[in-house]
């Protein structure tokens, strides 16, 4: 049997990659506090997360964002010009409500609360990034983060994100992010940390 190496070289993620992307992110976010709050049943969480990320990717971020992947990680970015369009439309909201079931109202309230804390100036937004736990430590997430940050730096714009997993904060801080706000989601939800990174000037050769 020929061994196919897993590479951490970023490439554009297309709709054809939906199955790989959703499977990767479902594994990556299985222990994420916010995703566990949205999908509290461990027995159905993997399937629910798979459907959730498939919907977000195919209906939202693949159309209006910058989506990249490696063989074991994926990231969804939204540049300033895509942020108004990346808001879920009525059909996407309907799909998410069906996926989330009785947690749909919590999801809606969480999305609205996060929006109230979002940056107002022009910026790049890192909506989703995750690596398959089986491949953590192999540089997949770092490679995708560097790729997106380079695009934001080329535009001279800051980058914003939110994380509900405190152990992820040091990872982002290594790339220049700082925590600018901490807030709890309504309905007894988890704490979110809003982070920001100022643009870096390109290196002079």
């Amino acid at each position: 049997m020929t061994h196919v190496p897993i590479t951490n070289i970023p490439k554009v993620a297309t709709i054809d990659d939906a199955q790989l992307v959703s499977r990767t992110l479902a594994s990556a976010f299985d222990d994420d506090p916010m995703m566990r709050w949205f999908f509290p049943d461990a027995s159905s969480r993997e399937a629910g997360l798979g459907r959730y990320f498939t919907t977000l990717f195919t209906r939202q971020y693949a159309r209006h964002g910058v989506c990249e992947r490696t063989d074991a990680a994926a990231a969804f970015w939204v540049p300033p010009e895509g942020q108004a369009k990346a808001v879920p439309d009525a059909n996407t909201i309907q799909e998410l409500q069906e996926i989330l079931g009785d947690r749909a109202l919590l999801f809606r309230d969480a999305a609205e609360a996060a929006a109230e804390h979002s940056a107002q100036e022009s910026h790049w937004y890192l909506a989703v990034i995750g690596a398959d736990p089986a491949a953590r430590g192999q540089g997949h997430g770092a490679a995708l983060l560097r790729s997106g940050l380079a695009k934001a730096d080329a535009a001279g714009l800051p980058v914003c994100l939110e994380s509900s997993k405190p152990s992820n904060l040091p990872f982002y801080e290594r790339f220049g992010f700082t925590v600018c706000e901490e807030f709890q989601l309504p309905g007894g939800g988890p704490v979110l940390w809003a982070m920001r990174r100022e643009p870096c000037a390109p290196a002079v050769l």
Side-chain angles (χ1 to χ4, degrees):
M1 180 182 295
T2 302
H3 176 68
V4 179
I6 296 177
T7 66
N8 62 9
I9 300 173
K11 62 189 74 174
V12 174
T14 68
I15 295 295
D16 291 339
D17 299 318
Q19 184 175 3
L20 172 63
V21 166
S22 62
R23 185 172 64 244
T24 296
L25 292 175
S27 297
F29 281 85
D30 178 72
D31 64 349
D32 181 83
M34 187 163 68
M35 291 299 109
R36 287 197 164 197
W37 187 53
F38 292 151
F39 299 95
D41 186 350
S43 65
S44 61
R45 184 179 302 127
E46 183 177 2
L49 284 171
R51 294 177 62 204
Y52 172 81
F53 284 116
T54 295
T55 296
L56 290 184
F57 176 59
T58 59
R59 296 194 58 87
Q60 194 168 344
Y61 294 114
R63 297 183 181 185
H64 307 296
V66 175
C67 299
E68 294 187 324
R69 69 169 182 87
T70 66
D71 288 348
F76 305 161
W77 303 79
V78 188
E81 61 271 18
Q83 286 169 13
K85 297 178 182 177
V87 176
D89 60 22
N91 289 334
T92 304
I93 291 172
Q94 180 63 36
E95 282 191 26
L96 291 173
Q97 287 176 337
E98 292 173 359
I99 293 166
L100 289 155
D102 61 3
R103 311 296 283 183
L105 290 179
L106 292 177
F107 175 83
R108 182 201 65 187
D109 292 345
E112 291 176 352
E116 290 175 0
H117 294 270
S118 63
Q120 298 303 309
E121 84 274 38
S122 183
H123 66 282
W124 274 62
Y125 177 62
L126 177 54
V128 175
I129 187 169
D132 189 322
R136 281 183 185 155
Q138 298 177 19
H140 291 267
L144 290 174
L145 194 53
R146 289 191 188 97
S147 179
L149 292 178
K151 295 177 179 63
D153 287 343
L157 293 173
V159 179
C160 299
L161 62 83
E162 296 97 26
S163 177
S164 68
K165 192 173 181 181
S167 61
N168 282 344
L169 303 186
F171 171 73
Y172 293 124
E173 288 169 345
R174 290 199 298 272
F175 288 87
F177 285 89
T178 58
V179 174
C180 53
E181 192 173 4
E182 176 182 331
F183 58 96
Q184 185 171 13
L185 292 176
V191 170
L192 280 189
W193 287 269
M195 304 189 77
R196 175 188 170 93
R197 175 188 179 271
E198 296 298 334
C200 292
V204 177
L205 299 179

